Each structure stands twice: as structure tokens, then as C-alpha cells.
Amino acid sequence: AVLAAQAAARYTPDWASLDSRPLPTWYDESKFGIFIHWGVFSVPAFHNEWFWYEWKSRQKQDCVDFMKSNYPPGFTYPEFAPDFHTSFFNPGDWADIFKASGAKYVVLTAKHHEGFTNWGSPFSWNWNSVDTGPHRDLVAELGEAVRSRSLHFGLYHSLFEWYNQLYLADKKNGFKTQEFVAHKVLPELYNMVVKYKPELIWSDGEWEAPDTYWNSTQFLAWLYNDSPVNATVVTNDRWGAGIRCKHGGYYNCDDEYTPGQLPKHKWEKCQTVDQYSWGYRRNMKAFDLMDLPSIIKDLVKTVALGGNYLLNIGPTADGMIPVVFEERLRGIGAWLSVNGEAIYATRPWRIQNETANVPVWYTSKGSTVYAILTARPSIPVLELLQPVTASTTQVTLLGHQGPLSWSPIDKAGGLFVLLPELPQSPSQVWTIKLDGVK
């Protein structure tokens, strides 16, 4: 019914109309996705994915020293591209890992701020993955593998490019001219959508210019009305300076954003496993990475507050997902295989969290409430103050056979739950399922 209503609606190129579009339901139900930052920046694999800009424009000392120590004088960033050879890239292997993680959608960087496209864009001559480097259409290959495993496929796209001459000319003109938008951004976006039919467009690189420069509302009206993905596509909020957290599909607001309380609008937290970079870093260390319990707790908190969780990994230039990232993803999948019903297709409950004797985050599905414990209780009796029980209330522990004994705290609500020996879990997070509570 929602899809039929969307198909019938015609959106006009203004935020009031575009913001009225219902978010396709697949997105909210998915809850968990994988973000992939992969490009020419994966070749130096130093500092972070902003390496080109940090080296050339900001002249960060560690980047300057890295180039001086490892590359000949006069070496330019585009010379890294031939080494983006992706020799070991097997899209099926990647998709198997993503499927095993329990993620429901995957978002690949089709083009980051360096301007290099991971497909043979006709508007990025000799600066794309078909003309140089891998000589492969990375977007097509990964998209096919991901979709064949019943996962949704999305694409990240940066509006601006640090060193594109058309962009720099428009910028010099105070964005009064739109040569870059007319000849590069929009034709490339249309090409990307028509060719690969992404179900999610993760826009970025918008902040230097207003949405009127980017012609964002015109593009989104076409996307929602006439594109081949008009009924299913989801977008974020990065469509021009000052637009974040105000307009668009769902809201990202800022990288690694977490609201203090339940927002009124659907949102997504993008978080990277390597806390110092979104792209692969050759010199990352174990203590730079989020451990599994931290990731699971972050996922749980995000979903309890109504958000989706988009977790980022950076593959290597030769096309491998570093084993430590794979280990994290498979660990999440192991936890979700037991606790997934407390995550997927849930809704925030009337109370999001409490801390009577351990931190608890709540999610709900119909008349079922899930109390997710993010620490092991010190005693075998769990105190939950918020649920209001009835004589028919049933209490279970996901992954444990049989009902748990419980008793009400008082007539106003709350219950004591007698816990069994909690199973050892690398995640240190457990779920109590409450049927028939208010």
C-alpha cells in the first residue's frame, strides 16, 4: 500500500514536497548495514582516506614525511591509481562475509572526495576503475554478489571533488556558476542510478555549497518520481550546506552521530571499526579498533533510539577485507543469530533505557518487549522497573530453553527476573524477551 501511494505521488523539487515522501519500509526494518570505504586512498593506506588533501592542501607533517620517505620527488597522487589493482578481490567472498555479519544492506563508496569512480563513469575519463587500476567495474561486481545473497545494495557518492578544475572554478566564482554540477555531478549521478539501480544513495561532500548549487531538489524529485528505483530508494540528508539533520530521507546529521534521546525522525549512525580512519590503514593497531562488545552495545543503543547502524570497514588495495574486520563482522553475526529478533523490524519502546541494576536498552515488536542487557548482572536477580506485567506475562532469555521465573515488584509495575547462568558470550550482551507486558 505504501509503495502504491508512493508510485501515485508526484514530488516537486522543493523540500516541503520531498520531505513528505514516506521512507520505504525495508530500510527501517533492516537496522544494520555495512559501509565500505574503498578507492585510490587504499593504496597509500596511510593517515586516512583524506590522505591526498591532508598531504597536498593541509601539508600534514606525517603525510609529507611518509611521501618523502617512500616515494620519489615529484610523485603525484594519481600515480597511486595503477596500484589499486584489487588482485584478490572476490565479490562473492565479500558478500558471504556481509551475509554472515547479519547485515541487511551494504553501501560501497562509488566515488569519494578524490573523484575516482569505482565504475567506468563516462564523466570521469581515465580516473575510474575500468580505465585504470583494477580495470574492473567494482560497483557492478559487488552489487551483483550482494543482491544474489538477498541483501540491499547502496552507493556512497561525494558531490564535491577536492581538485576537480570545474569545481574549483565554480568555488572561485562563489558558486554562482554551476559548470561542475552541469557537466560532472548530475550526469554522473543519473548514470550511476540508471546503470546500477542502488536502493540507497548515501550523499556526502555537500557542505561547501548550498543545495541550490548542487540542484539537489531537482535530482531528488527525478529520483523519487521517474528513476528506475523510485519506489524503493532511500537517501540521507547531505544535499547542501545547512541541510543535514533538516531535510532529505533519513538523517545522518554528523559522522558517528548519536542523539541524546529518541528523535522524531528516522536516523542512521555511521561508525567505523578503525576509530582513526574510514579507509584501510596499513599501520592500524589492535587498540585503534572497536572491540566486539563495544560494537554490539553501540548497535543496541542505536536501534533502541530508533536508528539504523551502518558499520564501516576499509578493504585493502588488493581487494581483501582485513581478517580483523572479518572477525568483528562474523562476531556480530553470531550475536544476531541468537538475538536478531530483538533488533530486526523492531520499534523503539515507550522507554528506551533504564539502569536499575545493569544497563538495559529496550526494543519492541507488537506486544513483545525486549530488554537487552549490556552488562552481566552481579547477582542472579534482574530488576526491571519499567515494564507493567499481567498474569499472562511470559519471560524468556533468547538462546536459553524454557521460561524464566519472575515476580512483580508492585502494582504500579516492574518485575524481578530470576536469571539462569548466562551463557558465555564474546559480546557480553544478552536479551530478555517479555511477552504480554505494557
Side-chain angles (χ1 to χ4, degrees), residues 98-174:
F98 302 150
K99 184 76 172 177
S101 77
K104 300 296 185 185
Y105 63 106
V106 174
V107 180
L108 170 70
T109 49
K111 184 191 80 167
H112 200 260
H113 312 322
E114 64 188 12
F116 186 92
T117 64
N118 280 329
W119 84 96
S121 168
F123 306 97
S124 190
W125 180 80
N126 211 35
W127 192 232
N128 68 70
S129 67
V130 174
D131 289 348
T132 186
H135 298 289
R136 297 168 68 172
D137 186 333
L138 304 177
V139 170
E141 290 188 41
L142 186 62
E144 185 180 346
V146 161
R147 285 173 164 144
S148 73
R149 287 152 181 83
S150 301
L151 303 177
H152 298 275
F153 186 57
L155 294 172
Y156 164 109
H157 173 271
S158 173
L159 292 171
F160 89 149
E161 298 173 20
W162 289 315
Y163 302 117
N164 187 294
Q165 293 306 307
L166 291 177
Y167 178 69
L168 295 175
D170 284 349
K171 186 175 177 179
K172 192 175 180 181
N173 293 333

Coordinates of all heavy atoms in Angstrom, one line a residue, residues 98-174:
F98 N 29.5 -10.4 4.5 CA 28.4 -9.4 4.9 C 27.2 -10.2 5.3 O 26.5 -9.8 6.3 CB 28.2 -8.4 3.7 CG 29.4 -7.7 3.3 CD1 29.5 -7.2 2.0 CD2 30.4 -7.3 4.2 CE1 30.6 -6.5 1.5 CE2 31.5 -6.6 3.8 CZ 31.6 -6.2 2.4
K99 N 26.9 -11.2 4.6 CA 25.7 -12.0 4.9 C 25.9 -12.6 6.3 O 24.9 -12.6 7.1 CB 25.5 -13.1 3.8 CG 24.2 -14.0 4.0 CD 23.0 -13.2 3.6 CE 21.8 -14.1 3.6 NZ 20.5 -13.4 3.3
A100 N 27.1 -13.2 6.5 CA 27.4 -13.8 7.8 C 27.3 -12.8 9.0 O 27.1 -13.2 10.1 CB 28.7 -14.5 7.8
S101 N 27.5 -11.5 8.7 CA 27.5 -10.5 9.7 C 26.1 -10.2 10.3 O 26.0 -9.5 11.3 CB 28.1 -9.2 9.2 OG 27.2 -8.5 8.4
G102 N 25.1 -10.6 9.5 CA 23.7 -10.3 9.9 C 23.3 -9.0 9.3 O 22.1 -8.5 9.6
A103 N 24.1 -8.3 8.6 CA 23.7 -7.0 7.9 C 22.7 -7.3 6.9 O 22.6 -8.4 6.3 CB 24.9 -6.3 7.3
K104 N 21.8 -6.3 6.7 CA 20.7 -6.4 5.7 C 21.0 -5.5 4.5 O 20.3 -5.6 3.5 CB 19.4 -6.1 6.3 CG 19.0 -7.0 7.5 CD 18.8 -8.4 7.0 CE 18.3 -9.3 8.2 NZ 18.3 -10.7 7.8
Y105 N 21.9 -4.6 4.6 CA 22.3 -3.7 3.4 C 23.7 -3.4 3.4 O 24.4 -3.5 4.4 CB 21.4 -2.5 3.3 CG 21.5 -1.5 4.5 CD1 22.2 -0.3 4.3 CD2 20.9 -1.7 5.7 CE1 22.2 0.7 5.3 CE2 20.9 -0.8 6.7 CZ 21.6 0.4 6.6 OH 21.6 1.4 7.6
V106 N 24.3 -3.1 2.2 CA 25.7 -2.8 2.0 C 25.8 -1.5 1.2 O 25.1 -1.3 0.2 CB 26.3 -4.0 1.3 CG1 27.8 -3.6 0.9 CG2 26.3 -5.3 2.1
V107 N 26.7 -0.6 1.7 CA 26.9 0.7 1.0 C 28.4 0.8 0.6 O 29.2 0.8 1.5 CB 26.5 1.9 1.9 CG1 26.7 3.2 1.1 CG2 25.0 1.7 2.3
L108 N 28.6 0.9 -0.7 CA 30.0 1.0 -1.2 C 30.3 2.4 -1.7 O 29.4 3.1 -2.3 CB 30.2 0.0 -2.4 CG 31.5 0.2 -3.2 CD1 32.7 -0.3 -2.4 CD2 31.4 -0.6 -4.5
T109 N 31.5 2.9 -1.4 CA 31.9 4.2 -2.0 C 32.0 4.1 -3.5 O 33.0 3.5 -4.0 CB 33.3 4.7 -1.4 OG1 34.2 3.6 -1.5 CG2 33.1 5.2 0.0
A110 N 31.1 4.6 -4.2 CA 31.1 4.7 -5.7 C 32.1 5.7 -6.1 O 32.8 5.6 -7.1 CB 29.8 4.9 -6.3
K111 N 32.1 6.9 -5.4 CA 33.1 8.0 -5.6 C 33.3 8.7 -4.3 O 32.3 9.3 -3.8 CB 32.5 8.9 -6.7 CG 33.5 10.0 -7.1 CD 32.9 11.1 -7.9 CE 32.1 12.1 -7.1 NZ 31.8 13.3 -7.9
H112 N 34.5 8.8 -3.9 CA 34.8 9.6 -2.7 C 35.4 10.9 -3.1 O 35.3 11.3 -4.3 CB 35.9 8.8 -1.8 CG 35.9 9.3 -0.4 ND1 36.8 10.2 0.1 CD2 35.1 9.1 0.7 CE1 36.6 10.4 1.4 NE2 35.5 9.8 1.8
H113 N 35.8 11.8 -2.2 CA 36.2 13.1 -2.5 C 37.4 13.3 -3.5 O 37.6 14.3 -4.1 CB 36.6 13.9 -1.2 CG 35.6 13.8 -0.1 ND1 34.2 13.7 -0.3 CD2 35.8 13.6 1.2 CE1 33.6 13.6 0.9 NE2 34.6 13.5 1.8
E114 N 38.1 12.2 -3.6 CA 39.2 12.2 -4.6 C 38.7 12.2 -6.1 O 39.5 12.4 -7.0 CB 40.1 11.0 -4.4 CG 39.5 9.6 -4.6 CD 40.3 8.4 -4.2 OE1 41.3 8.6 -3.5 OE2 39.9 7.3 -4.5
G115 N 37.4 11.9 -6.3 CA 36.8 11.9 -7.6 C 36.9 10.6 -8.4 O 36.3 10.5 -9.4
F116 N 37.7 9.7 -7.9 CA 37.9 8.4 -8.6 C 36.6 7.6 -8.5 O 36.1 7.4 -7.4 CB 39.1 7.6 -8.0 CG 39.4 6.4 -8.7 CD1 40.4 6.4 -9.7 CD2 38.9 5.2 -8.4 CE1 40.8 5.2 -10.4 CE2 39.2 4.0 -9.0 CZ 40.2 4.0 -10.0
T117 N 36.1 7.1 -9.6 CA 34.8 6.3 -9.6 C 35.1 4.8 -9.6 O 36.0 4.4 -10.4 CB 33.9 6.7 -10.7 OG1 34.4 6.4 -12.0 CG2 33.5 8.2 -10.6
N118 N 34.4 4.1 -8.9 CA 34.6 2.6 -8.8 C 33.8 1.9 -9.9 O 33.4 0.7 -9.8 CB 34.3 2.0 -7.4 CG 35.5 2.2 -6.5 OD1 36.6 2.2 -6.9 ND2 35.2 2.4 -5.2
W119 N 33.4 2.6 -10.9 CA 32.8 2.1 -12.1 C 33.3 2.9 -13.3 O 33.9 4.0 -13.1 CB 31.3 2.1 -12.0 CG 30.6 3.4 -12.4 CD1 30.0 3.7 -13.6 CD2 30.3 4.5 -11.6 NE1 29.4 4.9 -13.6 CE2 29.6 5.5 -12.4 CE3 30.6 4.9 -10.3 CZ2 29.2 6.7 -11.9 CZ3 30.2 6.1 -9.8 CH2 29.5 7.0 -10.6
G120 N 33.1 2.5 -14.5 CA 33.6 3.1 -15.7 C 32.8 4.4 -16.0 O 32.1 4.4 -17.1
S121 N 32.8 5.4 -15.2 CA 32.0 6.6 -15.4 C 32.4 7.3 -16.7 O 33.6 7.6 -16.9 CB 32.1 7.5 -14.3 OG 31.6 8.8 -14.6
P122 N 31.5 7.5 -17.6 CA 31.9 8.3 -18.9 C 32.2 9.7 -18.6 O 32.7 10.4 -19.4 CB 30.7 8.1 -19.8 CG 29.5 7.8 -18.8 CD 30.1 7.1 -17.7
F123 N 32.0 10.2 -17.3 CA 32.3 11.6 -17.0 C 33.5 11.7 -16.1 O 33.8 12.7 -15.5 CB 31.0 12.1 -16.3 CG 29.8 12.0 -17.1 CD1 28.9 10.9 -16.8 CD2 29.5 12.8 -18.1 CE1 27.8 10.7 -17.6 CE2 28.4 12.7 -18.9 CZ 27.5 11.6 -18.6
S124 N 34.3 10.6 -16.0 CA 35.5 10.6 -15.2 C 36.6 9.9 -16.0 O 37.1 8.9 -15.5 CB 35.2 9.9 -13.8 OG 36.3 10.1 -13.0
W125 N 36.9 10.5 -17.1 CA 37.9 9.8 -18.1 C 39.2 9.5 -17.4 O 39.8 10.4 -16.8 CB 38.0 10.7 -19.3 CG 39.0 10.1 -20.3 CD1 38.7 9.1 -21.2 CD2 40.4 10.4 -20.5 NE1 39.8 8.8 -21.9 CE2 40.9 9.6 -21.5 CE3 41.2 11.3 -19.8 CZ2 42.2 9.6 -21.9 CZ3 42.6 11.3 -20.2 CH2 43.0 10.5 -21.3
N126 N 39.6 8.3 -17.5 CA 40.9 7.8 -17.0 C 41.1 8.0 -15.5 O 42.2 7.8 -15.0 CB 42.1 8.5 -17.8 CG 43.3 7.6 -17.9 OD1 43.1 6.4 -18.0 ND2 44.5 8.1 -17.8
W127 N 40.0 8.3 -14.8 CA 40.1 8.4 -13.3 C 38.9 7.6 -12.8 O 38.1 8.0 -12.1 CB 40.0 9.9 -12.9 CG 40.3 10.2 -11.5 CD1 39.6 10.9 -10.6 CD2 41.5 9.8 -10.7 NE1 40.2 11.0 -9.4 CE2 41.4 10.3 -9.4 CE3 42.6 9.0 -11.0 CZ2 42.3 10.1 -8.4 CZ3 43.6 8.8 -10.0 CH2 43.4 9.4 -8.7
N128 N 39.0 6.3 -13.2 CA 37.9 5.3 -12.8 C 38.5 3.9 -12.9 O 39.5 3.7 -13.5 CB 36.7 5.5 -13.7 CG 36.9 5.0 -15.1 OD1 37.0 3.8 -15.4 ND2 36.9 6.0 -16.1
S129 N 37.8 3.0 -12.2 CA 38.3 1.7 -12.0 C 38.3 0.8 -13.3 O 38.9 -0.3 -13.3 CB 37.5 1.0 -10.9 OG 36.2 0.7 -11.4
V130 N 37.7 1.2 -14.3 CA 37.7 0.5 -15.6 C 38.9 0.9 -16.5 O 39.6 0.1 -17.1 CB 36.4 0.6 -16.3 CG1 36.4 -0.1 -17.7 CG2 35.3 0.0 -15.5
D131 N 39.1 2.2 -16.5 CA 40.2 2.8 -17.4 C 41.6 2.6 -16.8 O 42.6 2.5 -17.5 CB 40.0 4.3 -17.6 CG 38.8 4.6 -18.5 OD1 38.3 3.7 -19.1 OD2 38.4 5.8 -18.5
T132 N 41.7 2.5 -15.4 CA 43.0 2.4 -14.8 C 42.8 1.5 -13.5 O 41.7 1.2 -13.1 CB 43.6 3.8 -14.4 OG1 44.9 3.6 -13.9 CG2 42.7 4.5 -13.4
G133 N 44.0 1.2 -12.9 CA 43.9 0.4 -11.7 C 43.4 -1.0 -11.9 O 44.0 -1.8 -12.7
P134 N 42.2 -1.3 -11.3 CA 41.7 -2.7 -11.4 C 41.3 -3.1 -12.9 O 41.4 -4.3 -13.2 CB 40.5 -2.7 -10.6 CG 40.5 -1.5 -9.8 CD 41.4 -0.5 -10.5
H135 N 40.9 -2.1 -13.7 CA 40.3 -2.4 -15.0 C 39.1 -3.4 -14.8 O 38.9 -4.3 -15.6 CB 41.3 -3.0 -16.0 CG 42.5 -2.1 -16.3 ND1 42.3 -1.0 -17.0 CD2 43.8 -2.1 -15.9 CE1 43.5 -0.3 -17.1 NE2 44.3 -1.0 -16.4
R136 N 38.3 -3.0 -13.8 CA 37.1 -3.8 -13.4 C 36.0 -2.8 -13.0 O 36.3 -1.8 -12.4 CB 37.4 -4.8 -12.3 CG 38.4 -5.9 -12.6 CD 38.8 -6.6 -11.4 NE 37.8 -7.5 -10.8 CZ 38.0 -8.3 -9.8 NH1 39.3 -8.5 -9.3 NH2 37.0 -9.1 -9.3
D137 N 34.8 -3.2 -13.2 CA 33.6 -2.5 -12.7 C 33.3 -3.0 -11.3 O 32.6 -4.0 -11.2 CB 32.4 -2.7 -13.7 CG 31.3 -1.8 -13.3 OD1 31.1 -1.4 -12.1 OD2 30.5 -1.4 -14.2
L138 N 33.9 -2.3 -10.3 CA 33.8 -2.8 -8.9 C 32.3 -2.7 -8.4 O 31.9 -3.5 -7.7 CB 34.7 -2.0 -8.1 CG 36.2 -2.1 -8.5 CD1 37.1 -1.2 -7.6 CD2 36.7 -3.5 -8.5
V139 N 31.7 -1.6 -8.8 CA 30.3 -1.4 -8.4 C 29.4 -2.5 -8.9 O 28.6 -3.1 -8.2 CB 29.7 0.0 -8.9 CG1 28.2 0.1 -8.7 CG2 30.5 1.1 -8.2
A140 N 29.5 -2.9 -10.2 CA 28.7 -3.9 -10.8 C 29.0 -5.3 -10.1 O 28.0 -6.0 -9.8 CB 28.9 -4.0 -12.3
E141 N 30.3 -5.6 -10.0 CA 30.6 -6.9 -9.4 C 30.1 -7.1 -8.0 O 29.5 -8.1 -7.6 CB 32.1 -7.1 -9.5 CG 32.7 -7.2 -10.9 CD 34.2 -7.6 -10.9 OE1 34.6 -8.4 -10.0 OE2 34.9 -7.1 -11.7
L142 N 30.3 -6.1 -7.1 CA 29.9 -6.2 -5.8 C 28.4 -6.2 -5.7 O 27.8 -6.9 -4.9 CB 30.5 -5.1 -4.9 CG 30.2 -5.3 -3.4 CD1 30.8 -6.6 -2.9 CD2 30.7 -4.1 -2.6
G143 N 27.7 -5.3 -6.5 CA 26.3 -5.2 -6.4 C 25.6 -6.5 -6.8 O 24.7 -6.9 -6.1
E144 N 26.1 -7.2 -7.8 CA 25.6 -8.5 -8.2 C 25.7 -9.5 -7.1 O 24.8 -10.3 -6.8 CB 26.2 -9.0 -9.5 CG 25.6 -10.2 -10.0 CD 26.3 -10.7 -11.3 OE1 27.1 -9.9 -11.9 OE2 26.1 -11.8 -11.7
A145 N 26.9 -9.6 -6.5 CA 27.2 -10.5 -5.4 C 26.3 -10.3 -4.2 O 25.7 -11.2 -3.6 CB 28.6 -10.5 -5.0
V146 N 26.2 -9.0 -3.8 CA 25.4 -8.6 -2.6 C 23.9 -9.0 -2.8 O 23.3 -9.6 -2.0 CB 25.6 -7.1 -2.3 CG1 24.5 -6.6 -1.4 CG2 27.0 -6.9 -1.7
R147 N 23.4 -8.6 -4.0 CA 22.0 -8.9 -4.3 C 21.7 -10.3 -4.4 O 20.6 -10.8 -4.0 CB 21.6 -8.1 -5.5 CG 21.4 -6.6 -5.3 CD 21.2 -5.8 -6.6 NE 20.7 -4.5 -6.3 CZ 21.1 -3.4 -7.0 NH1 21.8 -3.5 -8.0 NH2 20.6 -2.2 -6.6
S148 N 22.6 -11.1 -4.9 CA 22.4 -12.6 -5.0 C 22.2 -13.2 -3.6 O 21.8 -14.4 -3.6 CB 23.5 -13.2 -5.8 OG 24.7 -13.3 -5.1
R149 N 22.6 -12.5 -2.6 CA 22.5 -13.0 -1.2 C 21.4 -12.3 -0.5 O 21.3 -12.3 0.8 CB 23.8 -12.9 -0.5 CG 24.9 -14.0 -1.0 CD 26.3 -13.5 -0.8 NE 27.2 -14.5 -1.3 CZ 27.6 -14.6 -2.6 NH1 27.0 -13.9 -3.5 NH2 28.5 -15.5 -2.9
S150 N 20.5 -11.7 -1.3 CA 19.3 -11.1 -0.7 C 19.6 -9.9 0.2 O 18.8 -9.7 1.2 CB 18.4 -12.1 0.0 OG 18.0 -13.1 -0.9
L151 N 20.7 -9.2 0.0 CA 21.0 -8.0 0.7 C 20.7 -6.8 -0.2 O 20.8 -6.9 -1.4 CB 22.5 -8.0 1.1 CG 23.0 -9.2 2.0 CD1 24.5 -9.1 2.2 CD2 22.2 -9.3 3.3
H152 N 20.3 -5.7 0.4 CA 20.1 -4.5 -0.3 C 21.4 -3.8 -0.6 O 22.4 -3.9 0.2 CB 19.2 -3.5 0.5 CG 17.8 -4.0 0.8 ND1 16.8 -3.9 -0.1 CD2 17.4 -4.7 1.9 CE1 15.7 -4.5 0.4 NE2 16.0 -5.0 1.6
F153 N 21.5 -3.2 -1.8 CA 22.8 -2.6 -2.2 C 22.6 -1.1 -2.4 O 21.7 -0.6 -3.1 CB 23.2 -3.2 -3.6 CG 24.6 -2.8 -4.1 CD1 25.7 -3.0 -3.3 CD2 24.7 -2.2 -5.3 CE1 27.0 -2.6 -3.7 CE2 26.0 -1.8 -5.8 CZ 27.1 -2.0 -5.0
G154 N 23.5 -0.3 -1.7 CA 23.5 1.1 -1.8 C 24.9 1.7 -2.2 O 25.9 1.0 -2.2
L155 N 24.9 2.9 -2.7 CA 26.1 3.6 -3.1 C 26.3 4.9 -2.4 O 25.4 5.7 -2.3 CB 26.1 3.8 -4.6 CG 26.1 2.5 -5.5 CD1 25.9 2.8 -6.9 CD2 27.4 1.7 -5.2
Y156 N 27.6 5.1 -1.9 CA 28.0 6.4 -1.4 C 28.5 7.2 -2.6 O 29.2 6.7 -3.5 CB 29.1 6.1 -0.4 CG 30.0 7.4 0.0 CD1 29.8 8.0 1.2 CD2 30.9 7.9 -0.9 CE1 30.6 9.1 1.6 CE2 31.6 9.0 -0.6 CZ 31.5 9.6 0.7 OH 32.3 10.7 1.0
H157 N 28.2 8.5 -2.6 CA 28.6 9.4 -3.7 C 28.9 10.7 -3.1 O 28.1 11.4 -2.5 CB 27.5 9.5 -4.7 CG 27.8 10.5 -5.8 ND1 27.5 11.9 -5.6 CD2 28.4 10.4 -7.0 CE1 27.9 12.5 -6.7 NE2 28.4 11.7 -7.5
S158 N 30.2 11.2 -3.3 CA 30.6 12.5 -2.9 C 30.2 13.6 -4.0 O 30.6 13.4 -5.1 CB 32.1 12.6 -2.6 OG 32.5 13.9 -2.4
L159 N 29.5 14.6 -3.5 CA 29.2 15.6 -4.5 C 30.4 16.4 -4.9 O 30.6 16.6 -6.1 CB 28.1 16.6 -3.9 CG 26.7 16.0 -3.6 CD1 25.9 16.9 -2.8 CD2 26.0 15.7 -5.0
F160 N 31.2 16.9 -4.0 CA 32.4 17.6 -4.4 C 33.6 16.7 -4.6 O 33.6 15.6 -4.2 CB 32.6 18.8 -3.4 CG 33.5 18.5 -2.2 CD1 34.4 19.4 -1.7 CD2 33.6 17.2 -1.6 CE1 35.2 19.2 -0.6 CE2 34.4 16.9 -0.5 CZ 35.2 17.9 0.0
E161 N 34.6 17.3 -5.3 CA 35.9 16.6 -5.6 C 36.9 17.7 -5.3 O 36.9 18.8 -5.9 CB 36.0 16.1 -7.0 CG 34.9 15.1 -7.4 CD 34.9 14.7 -8.8 OE1 35.9 15.0 -9.5 OE2 33.9 14.2 -9.3
W162 N 37.9 17.3 -4.4 CA 38.9 18.3 -4.0 C 39.5 19.1 -5.1 O 39.7 20.3 -5.0 CB 40.0 17.5 -3.2 CG 39.6 17.0 -1.9 CD1 38.9 17.6 -0.9 CD2 39.9 15.7 -1.4 NE1 38.8 16.8 0.2 CE2 39.4 15.6 -0.1 CE3 40.6 14.6 -1.9 CZ2 39.5 14.4 0.7 CZ3 40.8 13.5 -1.1 CH2 40.2 13.4 0.2
Y163 N 40.0 18.4 -6.1 CA 40.9 19.0 -7.1 C 40.3 19.0 -8.5 O 41.0 19.2 -9.5 CB 42.2 18.4 -7.0 CG 42.9 18.4 -5.7 CD1 43.1 17.3 -4.9 CD2 43.1 19.7 -5.1 CE1 43.7 17.4 -3.6 CE2 43.6 19.8 -3.8 CZ 43.9 18.6 -3.1 OH 44.4 18.7 -1.8
N164 N 39.0 18.8 -8.6 CA 38.4 18.9 -10.0 C 38.4 20.4 -10.4 O 37.9 21.3 -9.7 CB 36.9 18.4 -9.9 CG 36.3 18.3 -11.3 OD1 36.1 19.3 -12.0 ND2 36.1 17.1 -11.8
Q165 N 38.9 20.7 -11.6 CA 39.1 22.1 -12.0 C 37.8 22.8 -12.2 O 37.7 24.0 -11.9 CB 39.9 22.1 -13.3 CG 41.4 21.7 -13.1 CD 42.1 22.4 -12.0 OE1 42.1 23.7 -12.0 NE2 42.7 21.7 -11.1
L166 N 36.8 22.1 -12.7 CA 35.4 22.7 -12.8 C 34.9 23.1 -11.5 O 34.3 24.2 -11.3 CB 34.5 21.7 -13.5 CG 34.7 21.4 -15.0 CD1 33.7 20.4 -15.5 CD2 34.7 22.7 -15.8
Y167 N 35.1 22.2 -10.5 CA 34.6 22.5 -9.1 C 35.3 23.7 -8.6 O 34.7 24.7 -8.0 CB 34.7 21.3 -8.2 CG 34.2 21.7 -6.8 CD1 32.9 21.9 -6.5 CD2 35.1 21.8 -5.7 CE1 32.4 22.2 -5.2 CE2 34.7 22.1 -4.5 CZ 33.4 22.3 -4.2 OH 32.9 22.7 -3.0
L168 N 36.6 23.7 -8.7 CA 37.4 24.8 -8.1 C 37.1 26.2 -8.8 O 37.1 27.2 -8.2 CB 38.9 24.5 -8.3 CG 39.4 23.3 -7.5 CD1 40.9 23.0 -7.8 CD2 39.2 23.5 -6.0
A169 N 36.7 26.1 -10.1 CA 36.3 27.3 -10.8 C 35.0 27.8 -10.3 O 34.8 29.1 -10.0 CB 36.3 27.1 -12.3
D170 N 34.0 26.9 -10.1 CA 32.7 27.3 -9.5 C 32.9 27.9 -8.1 O 32.3 28.9 -7.7 CB 31.8 26.1 -9.5 CG 31.2 25.8 -10.8 OD1 31.4 26.5 -11.8 OD2 30.6 24.7 -10.9
K171 N 33.8 27.3 -7.4 CA 34.0 27.7 -6.0 C 34.6 29.1 -6.0 O 34.2 30.0 -5.2 CB 35.0 26.7 -5.3 CG 35.2 27.0 -3.8 CD 36.1 25.8 -3.3 CE 36.4 26.1 -1.8 NZ 37.2 24.9 -1.2
K172 N 35.6 29.4 -6.9 CA 36.2 30.7 -7.0 C 35.1 31.8 -7.4 O 35.2 32.9 -7.0 CB 37.3 30.6 -8.1 CG 38.2 31.8 -8.1 CD 39.3 31.6 -9.1 CE 40.2 32.9 -9.2 NZ 41.3 32.7 -10.2
N173 N 34.1 31.3 -8.1 CA 33.0 32.2 -8.5 C 31.9 32.4 -7.5 O 30.8 32.8 -7.7 CB 32.4 31.8 -9.8 CG 33.3 31.9 -11.0 OD1 34.2 32.7 -11.0 ND2 33.2 31.0 -12.0
G174 N 32.2 31.9 -6.2 CA 31.3 31.9 -5.2 C 30.0 31.1 -5.4 O 28.9 31.4 -4.9

